[in-house]
């Protein structure tokens, strides 16, 4: 019997040759093969037998061409006629002016024809259908064994995608009727109505996959990894049933149930992994407890040049509470750019310092490290907390209460406490080792650190508290799923007094008026204007196209605003030229700066008060929000103009959201519903690749699986009563294997 962890070559008829091809589809084990889910299904009921055809409908038949003629009428018209037949009858097909068909349609061969049925003088004909040749091998099998009466009648056109899944596949369940496995596979032919179409690769067709998956389903040992109680409690279908149904669904309903169960698994394992990690973390002990010096902390907060927002207060409270605990904090602090995360981290570092421990503050780039250093030096000016900066370029010597730096920090023996990543138990802190006094690690934008750096980060110190900060607006439920081992604090409001960026959607009809308004802003308000060029389809991956579009925009605006100076910045410029463009804009030599979407993100120009985004519909809401964040950094009212030439409903719904909402979280949530997480958050987030069926927009399933995972871990943290799950978690080293 096949085991799910067996290599794929254990499946009959899969040798090293096929195994190589399957690796391209990320299929390595028997389990991988069973979890290679269909991308869509062909509905066999969409094929009609000739006797069931009805006047006026669009139908698809599979028929043999008995006769094909190219006819020239006396009126100078050219038409093609074919007489075709299946086991139930004959029908005439007519095309007009398609004489080339005589080269592709041959008498004696079988085709799928799809077109409108028409009554012509009391006889049905098929009018100008599309055609596709049907696989001959399959057909001979069908002629021998098929029962045409069992082909269900139906009305719709067959699926137009001819790349994978030929009509023959659709009829025969894609199972080759010749060959050794054939006879065994016949039953599914007659019971299955929905036929799976898979992601394919060269030499691996859906048809072939179906036959190998069927063979695997018949012989593999598919033990359900969920306990019967879990299955019952959440009304799930068994694993083996679900795998069978997702590949060979009996009906739409069984397919839905199967997908639900398998989607449950995906989220459940993600949750279980996170919850388990979190449990392990809570078992750990910090080396030295932090005692909160409430009065001094309050004094520090009161001395800040501004009043904390409510959200900052809440987050600070949650963090301070964690710091006091004996188990290390592992918290994610999320908040829009400019929401004031740094000061919250600073308070945590201060609290740590008051308790005699040191803090590290890691930034992903040198620029950010410098920026934090400057800002924090100001914040701590009146305290006795010492700050040091360590980047590749700057290495301040000495021991500081708070050390800010880039990953250069990670390799500094003097700062990170004890070193070895996976330390075997050994007597603590020998004399020659640095004092183990690292209390807190703050990590800004952790996802921008590399894998090795992250691993190193995890191993720093002796279970210090960890605070990770991110400006990626991931809604809480989703953050908790993707980072199940983290607690999450969200800063969902901007500091008081910051003006909202007034945002308008500008359709084509109002463009001229908008330009007039912009002219006025520049002339009377000395406003400076960003113009962001359309996003170039990444599938075109053409840098030149982007540059071209930027130049065109520049030329266009030069004509519209001949009296203003306009700058241009794009990825192909040399870095001196880029700096020049930015400096000119900063010093008001230029009033308008045309920029490509990519280059634009890194630019920080506080006095720009207007941003125009061309072809705004091409951007996601999260992206638009990031772009919009380029203005509104000064103290004047800022504006964002979203130019669009389409007015479909989804587009206007999306863009209107930009005018109504100013929170990155709210916008990300809306975007998620419309576009899905891959688009919204990019592919870098851990866990996304493990989700093939589950949607992160399915909040209910996220919550259900979270509950299921939490229940299990809270009653049986070591999974002693769940041997199957235990095996899975222990095996889990990468997201890919999570599901197998
Ligand atoms: P981010 O969350 O993007 O890291 P920062 O921490 O850099 O944001 O804060 C952005 C700016 O807002 C900084 O100049 C900071 O001093 C200021 N700031 C932070 N909190 C407040 C507040 N409550 N009121 C006013 N300004 C604040
Ligand atoms: Mg920041």
């Amino acid at each position: 019997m096949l085991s799910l962890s067996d290599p794929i070559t254990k499946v009959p008829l899969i040798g090293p040759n096929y195994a190589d091809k399957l690796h391209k589809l990320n299929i390595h084990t028997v389990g991988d093969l069973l979890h290679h889910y269909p991308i869509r299904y062909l509905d066999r009921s969409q094929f009609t037998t000739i006797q069931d055809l009805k006047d006026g409908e669009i139908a698809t038949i599979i028929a043999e061409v008995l006769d094909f003629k190219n006819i020239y009428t006396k009126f100078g018209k050219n038409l093609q006629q074919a007489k075709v037949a299946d086991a139930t009858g004959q029908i005439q097909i007519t095309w007009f002016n398609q004489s080339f068909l005589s080269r592709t349609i041959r008498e004696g061969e079988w085709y799928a024809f799809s077109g409108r049925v028409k009554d012509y003088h009391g006889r049905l004909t098929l009018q100008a259908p599309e055609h596709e040749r049907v696989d001959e091998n399959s057909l001979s099998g069908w002629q021998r064994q098929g029962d045409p009466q069992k082909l269900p009648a139906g009305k719709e056109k067959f699926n137009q995608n001819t790349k994978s899944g030929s009509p023959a596949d659709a009829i025969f369940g894609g199972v080759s009727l010749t060959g050794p496995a054939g006879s065994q596979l016949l039953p599914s032919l007659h019971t299955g109505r929905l036929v799976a179409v898979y992601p394919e690769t060269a030499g691996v067709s859906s048809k072939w996959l179906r036959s190998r998956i069927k063979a695997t389903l018949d012989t593999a040992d598919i033990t359900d990894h969920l306990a019967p109680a879990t299955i019952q409690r959440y009304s799930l279908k068994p694993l083996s049933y679900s795998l069978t149904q997702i590949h060979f669904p009996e009906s739409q309903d069984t397919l839905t149930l199967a997908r639900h169960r398998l989607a449950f698994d995906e989220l459940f394992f993600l949750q279980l992994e996170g919850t388990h990690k979190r449990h392990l973390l809570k078992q750990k002990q910090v080396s030295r407890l932090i005692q909160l010096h409430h009065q001094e902390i309050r004094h520090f907060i009161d001395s800040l040049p501004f009043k904390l927002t409510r959200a900052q207060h809440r987050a600070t409270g949650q963090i301070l509470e964690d710091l006091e605990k004996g188990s290390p904090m592992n918290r994610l602090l999320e908040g829009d750019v400019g929401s004031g995360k740094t000061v919250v981290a600073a308070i945590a570092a201060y609290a740590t310092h008051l308790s005699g421990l040191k803090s590290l503050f890691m930034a992903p780039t040198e620029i950010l490290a410098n920026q934090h250093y400057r800002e924090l030096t100001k914040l701590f000016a009146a305290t006795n907390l010492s700050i040091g900066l360590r980047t590749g370029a700057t290495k301040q010597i000495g021991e500081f209460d708070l050390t800010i730096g880039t990953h250069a920090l990670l390799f500094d023996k003097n700062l990170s406490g004890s070193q070895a990543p996976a330390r075997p138990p050994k007597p603590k802190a020998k004399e020659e080792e640095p004092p183990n006094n690292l209390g807190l690690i703050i990590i800004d934008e952790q996802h921008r650190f590399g894998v090795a750096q992250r691993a190193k980060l995890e191993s720093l110190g002796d279970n210090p508290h960890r605070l990770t900060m991110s400006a990626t607006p991931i809604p809480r439920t989703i953050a908790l799923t993707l980072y199940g081992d983290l607690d999450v604090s969200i800063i969902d409001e901007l500091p008081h007094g910051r003006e909202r960026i007034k945002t308008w959607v500008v359709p084509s009809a109002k463009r001229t008026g908008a330009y007039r308004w912009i002219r006025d802003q520049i002339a009377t308000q000395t406003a400076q204007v960003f113009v962001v060029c359309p996003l170039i389809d990444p599938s075109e991956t053409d840098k030149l196209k982007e540059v071209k579009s930027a130049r065109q925009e520049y030329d266009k605006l030069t004509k519209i605003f001949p009296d203003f100076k306009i700058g241009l910045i794009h990825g192909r410029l040399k870095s001196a030229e880029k700096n020049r463009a930015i400096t000119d804009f900063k010093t008001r030599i230029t009033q308008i700066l045309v920029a490509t979407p990519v280059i634009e993100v890194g630019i920080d120009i506080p006095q720009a008060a207007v941003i125009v985004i061309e072809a705004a519909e091409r951007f996601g809401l999260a992206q638009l929000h990031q772009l919009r964040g380029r203005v509104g950094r000064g103290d004047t009212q800022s504006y964002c103009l979203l130019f669009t030439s389409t007015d479909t409903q989804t587009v206007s719904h999306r863009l209107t959201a930009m005018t109504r909402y100013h929170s990155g979280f709210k916008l990300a949530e809306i975007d998620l519903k419309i576009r899905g997480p891959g688009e919204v958050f990019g592919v870098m987030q851990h866990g996304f690749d493990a989700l093939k069926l589950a949607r992160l927009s399915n909040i209910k399933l996220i919550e259900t699986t979270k509950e299921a995972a939490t229940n299990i871990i809270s009653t049986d943290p070591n999974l002693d009563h769940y041997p199957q799950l235990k095996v899975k978690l222990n095996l889990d080293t990468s997201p890919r294997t999570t599901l197998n």
Side-chain angles (χ1 to χ4, degrees):
M1 212 176 211
L2 288 172
S3 145
L4 295 188
S5 57
D6 281 342
I8 192 69
T9 43
K10 286 273 177 75
V11 176
L13 301 185
I14 299 184
N17 207 348
Y18 269 113
D20 275 352
K21 292 175 182 163
L22 288 170
H23 290 174
K24 292 200 190 103
L25 293 169
N26 231 338
I27 298 172
H28 302 268
T29 65
V30 170
D32 290 340
L33 182 65
L34 292 185
H35 288 287
H36 187 66
Y37 300 139
I39 32 171
R40 61 191 172 86
Y41 299 84
L42 294 178
D43 191 344
R44 280 217 279 124
S45 64
Q46 289 172 340
F47 291 83
T48 311
T49 54
I50 289 178
Q51 70 175 3
D52 285 332
L53 291 174
K54 288 186 191 64
D55 182 28
E57 72 181 5
I58 289 180
T60 301
I61 58 169
I62 306 277
E64 180 187 2
V65 174
L66 303 179
D67 177 57
F68 182 90
K69 285 201 289 275
N70 208 344
I71 301 169
Y72 292 89
T73 69
K74 47 189 167 200
F75 307 110
K77 291 227 170 77
N78 164 227
L79 57 91
Q80 291 70 39
Q81 275 184 343
K83 195 190 287 173
V84 304
D86 68 7
T88 68
Q90 286 189 13
I91 190 170
Q92 177 146 309
I93 301 182
T94 311
W95 293 270
F96 302 96
N97 297 317
Q98 300 193 25
S99 54
F100 60 87
L101 288 178
S102 57
R103 270 176 279 135
T104 57
I105 294 182
R106 291 171 204 285
E107 292 171 7
E109 293 196 345
W110 287 68
Y111 299 85
F113 294 104
S114 182
R116 186 172 296 282
V117 182
K118 219 171 157 185
D119 190 317
Y120 187 72
H121 298 309
R123 267 176 52 202
L124 293 182
T125 63
L126 205 54
Q127 298 284 316
E130 292 172 32
H131 72 280
E132 188 180 349
R133 211 169 78 83
V134 165
D135 187 285
E136 215 155 349
N137 292 331
S138 311
L139 204 62
S140 58
W142 181 73
Q143 282 171 314
R144 265 200 322 275
Q145 313 201 16
D147 178 357
Q149 298 301 336
K150 287 210 178 147
L151 287 179
K155 288 154 198 70
E156 282 121 280
K157 212 168 163 178
F158 79 96
N159 198 308
Q160 292 292 319
N161 189 335
T162 52
K163 254 192 287 184
S164 49
S166 71
D169 276 4
I171 292 188
F172 305 113
V175 168
S176 171
L177 302 185
T178 57
S183 52
Q184 171 192 3
L185 297 174
L186 269 176
S188 75
L189 191 81
H190 296 295
T191 52
R193 292 160 59 98
L194 293 167
V195 176
V197 179
Y198 294 93
E200 300 173 347
T201 186
V204 176
S205 66
S206 286
K207 181 170 159 179
W208 183 87
L209 281 166
R210 275 194 293 271
S211 83
R212 291 306 85 208
I213 289 171
K214 184 76 171 76
T216 307
L217 282 170
D218 288 343
T219 51
D221 168 27
I222 306 173
T223 313
D224 207 315
H225 38 246
L226 292 186
T230 311
I231 292 182
Q232 202 181 354
R233 176 164 183 168
Y234 298 102
S235 311
L236 302 171
K237 288 287 171 195
L239 180 62
S240 155
Y241 173 88
S242 304
L243 285 173
T244 306
Q245 289 300 318
I246 199 162
H247 293 293
F248 300 97
E250 271 160 40
S251 70
Q252 196 65 53
D253 292 344
T254 61
L255 176 60
T256 304
L257 292 171
R259 290 177 65 96
H260 176 73
R261 159 66 208 259
L262 297 169
F264 182 98
D265 282 12
E266 291 176 357
L267 286 170
F268 174 74
F269 284 120
L270 218 50
Q271 308 273 23
L272 193 70
E273 203 185 347
T275 313
H276 183 68
K277 261 201 208 165
R278 183 193 164 88
H279 167 79
L280 292 180
L281 198 73
K282 299 275 174 217
Q283 304 297 104
K284 287 188 184 168
Q285 291 295 311
V286 295
S287 55
R288 268 181 58 187
L289 279 177
I290 289 179
Q291 277 185 346
L292 293 183
H293 295 58
H294 292 279
Q295 212 175 330
E296 285 89 337
I297 294 172
R298 192 162 311 128
H299 180 75
F300 175 68
I301 293 175
D302 288 344
S303 76
L304 291 170
F306 42 72
K307 199 169 164 291
L308 291 186
T309 62
R310 272 182 26 228
Q312 282 173 318
H313 243 291
R314 193 173 53 225
T316 304
Q318 290 164 343
I319 292 167
L320 291 179
E321 216 172 278
D322 280 1
L323 287 183
E324 234 179 350
K325 290 180 187 154
S327 62
M329 165 173 82
N330 193 23
R331 187 170 281 277
L332 175 69
L333 178 61
E334 271 197 278
D336 260 353
V337 175
S339 61
K341 297 184 289 291
T342 319
V343 67
V344 174
I347 296 168
Y350 189 62
T352 306
H353 154 69
L354 290 174
S355 207
L357 296 175
K358 311 229 175 290
S359 302
L360 292 185
F361 193 146
M362 312 278 312
T365 66
E366 193 140 353
I367 293 175
L368 278 173
N370 287 328
Q371 192 180 303
H372 286 315
Y373 178 70
R374 279 197 305 273
E375 195 177 335
L376 291 170
T377 305
K378 266 189 270 166
L379 283 180
F380 288 119
T383 71
N384 65 352
L385 179 146
S386 60
I387 307 187
L389 177 66
R390 279 176 192 249
T391 64
T394 317
K395 285 205 175 61
Q396 297 182 354
I397 309 294
E399 238 195 57
F400 304 97
D401 300 318
L402 170 60
T403 308
I404 299 168
T406 56
H407 64 272
L409 268 184
L410 294 176
F411 305 100
D412 186 334
K413 283 204 166 62
N414 295 317
L415 287 164
S416 46
S418 32
Q419 288 301 302
R423 235 157 4 110
K426 60 169 186 179
K428 283 211 169 156
K430 280 193 207 156
E431 262 141 29
E432 70 273 19
E433 283 184 350
N436 196 357
N437 61 356
L438 178 60
L440 170 67
I441 302 184
I442 299 158
I443 304 146
D444 201 11
E445 299 295 337
Q446 180 177 29
H447 66 267
R448 291 175 60 184
F449 288 94
V451 176
Q453 293 168 349
R454 275 196 240 184
K456 180 80 195 190
L457 270 174
E458 305 256 336
S459 71
L460 282 182
D462 195 2
N463 299 335
H465 295 288
R466 297 159 52 88
L467 179 65
T468 306
M469 304 197 287
S470 167
T472 313
I474 304 180
R476 179 189 297 276
T477 38
I478 294 174
L480 288 175
T481 305
L482 294 179
Y483 312 105
D485 53 331
L486 293 173
D487 291 301
V488 178
S489 293
I490 292 184
I491 304 186
D492 52 4
E493 75 188 298
L494 290 181
H496 308 292
R498 218 166 277 172
E499 297 267 8
R500 282 200 164 168
I501 301 161
K502 286 209 174 110
T503 304
W504 295 306
V505 179
V506 182
S508 309
K510 295 195 175 160
R511 193 175 263 264
T512 317
Y515 283 136
R516 209 178 307 129
W517 178 87
I518 290 171
R519 164 181 304 282
D520 201 51
Q521 289 292 309
I522 300 176
T524 65
Q525 313 286 322
T526 61
Q528 285 185 275
V529 182
F530 262 127
V531 176
V532 180
C533 298
L535 193 64
I536 303 291
D537 184 352
S539 66
E540 297 176 29
T541 52
D542 194 348
K543 254 270 168 333
L544 284 174
K545 270 217 174 100
E546 201 174 272
V547 174
K548 186 165 163 236
S549 125
R551 288 222 182 91
Q552 278 170 350
E553 186 66 30
Y554 174 84
D555 290 343
K556 187 181 91 187
L557 292 174
T558 317
K559 289 191 191 99
I560 295 174
F561 301 110
D563 41 340
F564 296 141
K565 286 242 157 50
I566 301 176
L568 171 64
I569 186 164
H570 57 70
R572 278 292 168 103
L573 293 183
K574 296 202 182 75
S575 111
E577 295 170 314
K578 282 184 202 162
N579 283 336
R580 177 92 225 163
I582 293 172
T583 314
D584 284 354
F585 193 54
K586 272 192 171 156
T587 54
R588 296 184 186 269
I589 292 177
T590 52
Q591 291 84 46
I592 298 174
L593 182 60
V594 176
T596 48
V598 181
I599 191 84
E600 183 279 336
V601 173
I603 305 177
D604 183 27
I605 298 172
Q607 74 267 32
V610 180
I611 185 164
V612 171
I613 301 174
E614 283 284 353
E617 73 279 357
R618 295 196 198 166
F619 295 91
L621 293 183
Q623 271 174 307
L624 287 175
H625 181 67
Q626 291 281 341
L627 289 174
R628 176 167 66 181
R630 295 302 106 190
V631 299
R633 309 188 137 216
D635 39 20
T636 53
Q637 174 65 55
S638 294
Y639 303 89
C640 172
L641 277 62
L642 304 171
F643 281 15
T644 177
S645 49
T646 48
D647 50 11
T648 66
Q649 272 214 315
T650 5
V651 167
S652 69
H653 174 71
R654 258 176 56 204
L655 295 184
T656 309
M658 288 297 297
T659 66
R660 304 217 344 238
Y661 301 108
H662 296 263
S663 140
F665 288 98
K666 184 72 198 169
L667 290 167
E669 217 166 85
I670 296 170
D671 218 10
L672 262 178
K673 288 201 187 113
I674 303 176
R675 297 193 312 154
E679 293 285 318
V680 178
F681 304 131
V683 284
M684 78 291 178
Q685 303 290 345
H686 155 78
F688 283 150
D689 46 356
L691 301 180
K692 297 179 182 174
L693 297 170
R695 287 178 199 287
L696 286 178
S697 49
N698 189 345
I699 301 297
K700 196 161 165 245
L701 191 58
I702 288 179
E703 282 168 354
T704 311
T705 49
K706 178 90 186 165
E707 182 200 291
T710 310
N711 276 344
I712 289 175
I713 297 291
S714 65
T715 54
D716 183 5
N718 297 320
L719 298 174
D720 291 332
H721 297 96
Y722 302 88
Q724 296 283 337
L725 295 180
K726 195 169 187 166
V727 167
K728 276 198 170 253
L729 277 204
N730 289 341
L731 283 179
D732 275 347
T733 49
S734 73
R736 194 189 64 76
T737 54
T738 303
L739 299 172
N740 303 325

